[in-house]
Amino acid sequence: MARTHLLKGHFFSVMCIAAILMSVSLPLGCSRDESRPQTKPSGAQGFTFFDLGTTSQYSHSVRKDLSQKLGSDAISQKNTMDLSIHYQGFLEKHFPAIAELHRRLNWPPRRRVEHDTTKLVYRDARRQDTPFTYVELFFSDDSRKPLFFSITAGPEAAAIVDTSIKKYGSPKEFEWGEGKSRTRFWEKGRDVFLISSFKNRRNDLEYLLCIYFAENLDEMLKTEEVRRLAEEEKIRKTGKSAF
């Protein structure tokens, strides 16, 4: 029995390491032209999840490959985006640059602000022998680049911390929640990868892994602003020509 438990634990650790090291390459291509040969990426830059990094591009092939690893998905377009985690004010206190992106994504306040994005949600990744209990991935519909990844995992995800340290170096870290919770994080340029460990409502150890592709988020917001100004100018000219 002990040997079986040990083997299961080792298996979960291997799966965790595989997810972060991106041992499986995802084909990249344009979803509008799937007839083109799909080529493997030469190496995603920055922080990655299943080989999807800051310069990757979403496509039908990427979605298909993710489904093979994480199970069935739920897909949606024109989404709101909530970058906040843990508790109100967490980002403002520890990651003010990300908090500012969150503010811009949800301006004006108290309104439903939608963005031209594709969101993939995976709720059955556990059945695929991964430690992930919930996975949420956002991609820009304009650039097709990743914007924000949020992954919840069980206690088996502890191996990801060690793997990430080997891959990205020593993280910065801090405690919160009366010293019972901890967040480790890495930064590459403006992008942030963090791993938080804490006890959930059932008092079980849980991990939250987030990748904030800040450069891509800022690029999308600037594109939206240009589009908004162009629409306003078009409406203004139409109004002037009506009389």
Side-chain angles (χ1 to χ4, degrees):
M1 179 65 72
R3 178 178 176 82
T4 301
H5 181 73
L6 180 61
L7 288 173
K8 287 183 177 179
H10 177 70
F11 179 74
F12 276 122
S13 297
V14 170
M15 291 303 300
C16 293
I17 293 171
I20 295 299
L21 287 181
M22 316 313 146
S23 59
V24 182
S25 296
L26 296 178
L28 300 182
C30 180
S31 58
R32 299 174 184 174
D33 188 6
E34 287 299 322
S35 61
R36 295 181 182 179
Q38 299 297 315
T39 58
K40 293 184 179 181
S42 58
Q45 298 180 10
F47 305 118
T48 53
F49 178 66
F50 281 124
D51 214 25
L52 288 171
T54 185
T55 58
S56 301
Q57 291 185 314
Y58 174 77
S59 70
H60 175 74
S61 296
V62 167
R63 182 187 178 193
K64 181 179 179 181
D65 209 40
L66 284 171
S67 292
Q68 292 176 349
K69 298 172 178 63
L70 299 172
S72 60
D73 64 22
I75 186 170
S76 60
Q77 267 82 34
K78 296 291 290 185
N79 303 285
T80 60
M81 292 194 67
D82 185 358
L83 304 184
S84 62
I85 57 175
H86 298 317
Y87 60 82
Q88 186 174 0
F90 181 88
L91 289 180
E92 285 79 1
K93 181 177 181 180
H94 300 290
F95 302 98
I98 302 300
E100 174 60 16
L101 286 170
H102 173 77
R103 185 194 67 80
R104 291 167 62 193
L105 285 166
N106 294 279
W107 187 266
R110 294 181 294 279
R111 290 189 186 180
R112 180 180 175 84
V113 182
E114 296 179 336
H115 303 276
D116 291 330
T117 56
T118 295
K119 180 173 73 171
L120 301 177
V121 175
Y122 302 87
R123 294 183 173 87
D124 299 317
R126 278 277 195 178
R127 297 181 181 180
Q128 303 299 114
D129 295 323
T130 78
F132 311 126
T133 56
Y134 183 83
V135 178
E136 193 172 79
L137 312 176
F138 284 90
F139 299 87
S140 167
D141 284 348
D142 290 314
S143 67
R144 294 182 286 121
K145 295 177 183 178
L147 300 170
F148 174 49
F149 292 171
S150 177
I151 303 105
T152 304
E156 304 88 357
I160 295 177
V161 176
D162 295 333
T163 303
S164 298
I165 291 174
K166 292 178 181 178
K167 184 175 183 181
Y168 301 124
S170 298
K172 298 177 183 178
E173 60 182 271
F174 56 87
E175 294 182 344
W176 50 278
E178 298 179 346
K180 298 178 181 179
S181 305
R182 175 178 295 183
T183 295
R184 300 174 175 88
F185 67 97
W186 295 259
E187 297 171 299
K188 286 184 179 292
R190 297 172 62 189
D191 295 350
V192 176
F193 169 44
L194 67 82
I195 304 177
S196 291
S197 56
F198 55 94
K199 292 292 184 70
N200 60 24
R201 294 179 180 178
R202 298 185 300 275
N203 204 37
D204 296 327
L205 180 61
E206 190 168 279
Y207 286 83
L208 176 66
L209 303 90
C210 294
I211 304 179
Y212 295 96
F213 297 100
E215 289 287 352
N216 295 345
L217 284 163
D218 187 56
E219 178 185 350
M220 182 188 72
L221 286 164
K222 288 178 178 177
T223 299
E224 290 179 343
E225 179 66 9
V226 170
R227 186 182 296 127
R228 183 185 66 81
L229 292 175
E231 286 294 324
E232 289 181 354
E233 179 64 15
K234 181 179 179 181
I235 293 172
R236 186 185 67 81
K237 289 182 178 180
T238 301
K240 288 179 63 177
S241 63
F243 297 93

